[in-house]
Amino acid sequence: MFPRPIEHQGKFINVGYRVALYIAVILWLIPLAAVLMTSIRSIADINAGNYWGWPDELQFIENYTQVFIATPMARYLLNSLLISLPAVAGAVALSTLAGFALAKYKFKGNVLLFAMFIGGNFVPFQILMIPVRDLTIDLGLYDTHWALIFFHVAFQAGFCTLFMRNFMIGIPDALIEAARVEGVSEWRIFWYVVLPLVRPALAALSVLVFTFIWNDFFWALVLVQSDEVRPVTAGLNALQGQWLASWQYMSAGAVIAALPPVALFFTMQRHFIAGLTLGATKG
């Protein structure tokens, strides 16, 4: 039996890739579709056991408005913004400075610090739950926005520094040396030479970190407890006790909570993709 021609093998492989892609997309969309459909169902439809079929009665406007009228969803969303935006700004700014120092300055302990940033990313943060909670209580930050802001800045700094350092190390040293020869200060070199070159990386990192912080659930349960401070992820969990069997309201709240990260991604999509592919195009 003769082997198949190369072009036939290529077509067979392409079909296999497409089938795998379609299966992956379907598996990824199933839970999203279930949440979307539940968010527009009536409570009678859910009680009747209609979880996957088309809703007998659509309640899109009622369910989505009721979440804001009868629950503190608006406050939860505001809390998430008050936590996520300062935390992203702090983590990205700090890690950009630290990444520049690790990438372009030679000093004693440089490699050791870089190894610590790498190793810190492998520490399971959940084991720090008790010490972190006790520390926030001792500092008087427990159940405040600052508790989550400081925590996220501290724990995102390791990944962000490693991310920015890997991008900045590809900047030609001759470019920075030329600026120094012209008498440009180190701060102006960083601001006017380095930052414009890593702008796509900053955009990609900001989107990733914002998504991580916005979707955080574990630390939102550990460090806050009141509705005045609780972010949207922990707020959705609180709705389960308030709306004992009203899954349509919880699903509507979940859809609303997912909109800000999605909107941010599509707003910065061009910069995000450029930032992720920047390292692959360097010679």
Side-chain angles (χ1 to χ4, degrees), residues 42-212:
S42 65
I43 186 61
D45 208 24
I46 296 176
N47 291 337
N50 184 13
Y51 303 121
W52 297 98
W54 185 258
D56 294 333
E57 180 183 359
L58 295 178
Q59 291 190 352
F60 176 82
I61 297 178
E62 178 181 345
N63 289 348
Y64 280 85
T65 55
Q66 189 69 15
V67 170
F68 287 97
I69 294 174
T71 74
M73 178 57 65
R75 183 65 201 182
Y76 296 152
L77 292 172
L78 178 61
N79 288 336
S80 290
L81 286 175
L82 293 176
I83 293 168
S84 299
L85 294 180
V88 170
V92 172
L94 183 63
S95 62
T96 303
L97 291 168
F100 178 61
L102 289 174
K104 295 304 177 182
Y105 289 94
K106 305 301 181 183
F107 54 91
K108 188 176 182 179
N110 184 302
V111 177
L112 178 61
L113 286 175
F114 180 57
M116 291 176 61
F117 278 110
I118 296 177
N121 287 298
F122 295 98
V123 175
F125 295 146
Q126 289 79 2
I127 66 175
L128 303 176
M129 177 183 67
I130 301 301
V132 170
R133 182 179 181 275
D134 291 344
L135 180 61
T136 56
I137 293 175
D138 294 338
L139 295 176
L141 298 176
Y142 182 75
D143 200 27
T144 66
H145 294 114
W146 290 109
L148 287 173
I149 292 173
F150 287 145
F151 168 81
H152 287 303
V153 170
F155 282 86
Q156 294 294 336
F159 166 76
C160 294
T161 300
L162 179 62
F163 187 93
M164 293 307 302
R165 183 261 183 194
N166 290 338
F167 276 99
M168 289 182 175
I169 203 169
I171 298 176
D173 294 334
L175 189 63
I176 297 176
E177 291 299 330
R180 287 172 179 164
V181 170
E182 295 295 330
V184 182
S185 65
E186 296 297 319
W187 173 252
R188 292 177 66 87
I189 291 175
F190 173 78
W191 189 261
Y192 292 104
V193 178
V194 175
L195 282 186
L197 295 175
V198 297
R199 187 178 301 170
L202 289 174
L205 183 62
S206 298
V207 173
L208 288 174
V209 174
F210 180 85
T211 304
F212 294 157

Side-chain angles (χ1 to χ4, degrees), residues 239-250:
L239 293 183
Q240 184 174 358
Q242 185 172 355
W243 302 94
L244 188 58
S246 299
W247 295 105
Q248 73 277 23
Y249 297 136
M250 294 182 62

